[in-house]
């Protein structure tokens, strides 16, 4: 999580689903997103947050992208996502504001390990559009390693499941 925060991400640890809901609501309130639209392709996520006034849809002009992820990469602080989360969209096409929900069991060391686990998880039929989100704020001093990255305002809600 240290690397994630170095990348500019905002991180909230949640011991259970009640704390997840509470932290989610606080993020909405802090950013004045309580009544906005949320782009969400996972049909299970809106069920968790049905207590909010958010409108869940696949509108690219929504104020926030709400999703789960494939894995959290500890050595870089990146988030590994695929077409399972983004559909056929590119990161640049999605809203600027991201709220990612992940579980502690999704933490792995490297991208290579993540790709191996995706291969096993999806029975060797790899999802398309596998990418990492690794830039969470506009960099003042751009360098070669961040070239082509689309900065996102990203919140990570990490749910304890171990």
């Amino acid at each position: 999580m240290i690397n994630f925060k170095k990348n500019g991400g905002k991180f909230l640890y949640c011991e259970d689903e009640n704390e997840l809901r509470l932290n989610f609501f606080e993020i909405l309130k802090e950013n004045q997103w309580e009544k906005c639209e949320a782009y969400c392709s996972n049909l299970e996520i809106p069920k968790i947050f049905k207590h909010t006034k958010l409108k869940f849809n696949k509108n690219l002009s929504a104020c926030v992208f709400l999703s789960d992820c494939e894995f959290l990469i500890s050595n870089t602080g990146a988030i590994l996502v695929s077409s399972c989360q983004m559909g056929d969209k590119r990161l640049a096409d999605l809203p600027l504001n991201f709220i990612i929900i992940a579980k502690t069991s999704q933490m792995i060391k490297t991208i290579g390990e993540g790709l191996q686990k995706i291969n096993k998880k999806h029975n060797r039929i790899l999802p398309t559009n596998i990418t990492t989100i690794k830039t969470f704020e506009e960099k003042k001093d751009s360098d070669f390693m961040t070239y082509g990255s689309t900065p996102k305002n990203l919140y990570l809600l990490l749910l304890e499941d171990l």
Side-chain angles (χ1 to χ4, degrees):
M1 291 302 101
I2 293 168
N3 289 331
F4 174 79
K5 288 171 67 176
K6 277 184 192 175
N7 291 342
K10 298 163 197 86
F11 160 72
L12 294 160
Y13 175 80
C14 308
E15 286 187 6
D16 54 35
E17 276 202 19
N18 287 332
E19 193 171 3
L20 177 74
R21 284 185 195 92
L22 177 66
N23 286 335
F24 181 77
F25 185 72
E26 290 299 319
I27 292 169
L28 297 180
K29 200 163 85 174
E30 174 183 310
N31 292 285
Q32 300 174 354
W33 296 336
E34 296 105 317
K35 296 179 183 176
C36 76
E37 293 183 354
Y39 182 106
C40 185
S41 57
N42 181 331
L43 300 176
E44 295 302 310
I45 292 176
K47 293 175 187 175
I48 300 169
F49 302 114
K50 61 186 173 195
H51 67 287
T52 68
K53 293 180 182 176
L54 278 180
K55 295 176 188 150
F56 298 97
N57 57 44
K58 291 186 182 180
N59 182 356
L60 288 173
S61 64
C63 66
V64 66
F65 173 70
L66 177 62
S67 183
D68 56 355
C69 67
E70 296 288 344
F71 295 101
L72 304 172
I73 313 298
S74 65
N75 72 342
T76 62
I79 298 174
L80 188 61
V81 293
S82 72
S83 56
C84 296
Q85 290 80 35
M86 302 183 312
D88 62 349
K89 307 297 182 238
R90 298 174 308 131
L91 283 176
D93 297 334
L94 295 169
L96 170 68
N97 304 301
F98 274 42
I99 300 175
I100 302 292
I101 299 160
K103 297 178 179 173
T104 52
S105 61
Q106 291 176 281
M107 294 179 78
I108 57 172
K109 189 165 179 119
T110 66
I111 292 172
E113 184 182 345
L115 294 175
Q116 289 174 345
K117 288 183 180 255
I118 286 174
N119 194 24
K120 288 178 188 173
K121 178 179 172 183
H122 297 284
N123 296 321
R124 302 200 180 276
I125 300 171
L126 290 178
T128 57
N129 199 13
I130 299 170
T131 190
T132 58
I133 310 168
K134 59 184 174 276
T135 308
F136 311 128
E137 61 186 10
E138 195 71 51
K139 299 286 184 190
K140 291 181 176 89
D141 299 322
S142 184
D143 64 16
F144 178 74
M145 296 304 287
T146 60
Y147 178 77
S149 296
T150 304
K152 298 293 182 182
N153 177 33
L154 194 137
Y155 289 87
L156 173 63
L157 293 172
L158 185 63
L159 179 62
E160 178 64 56
D161 72 337
L162 295 176

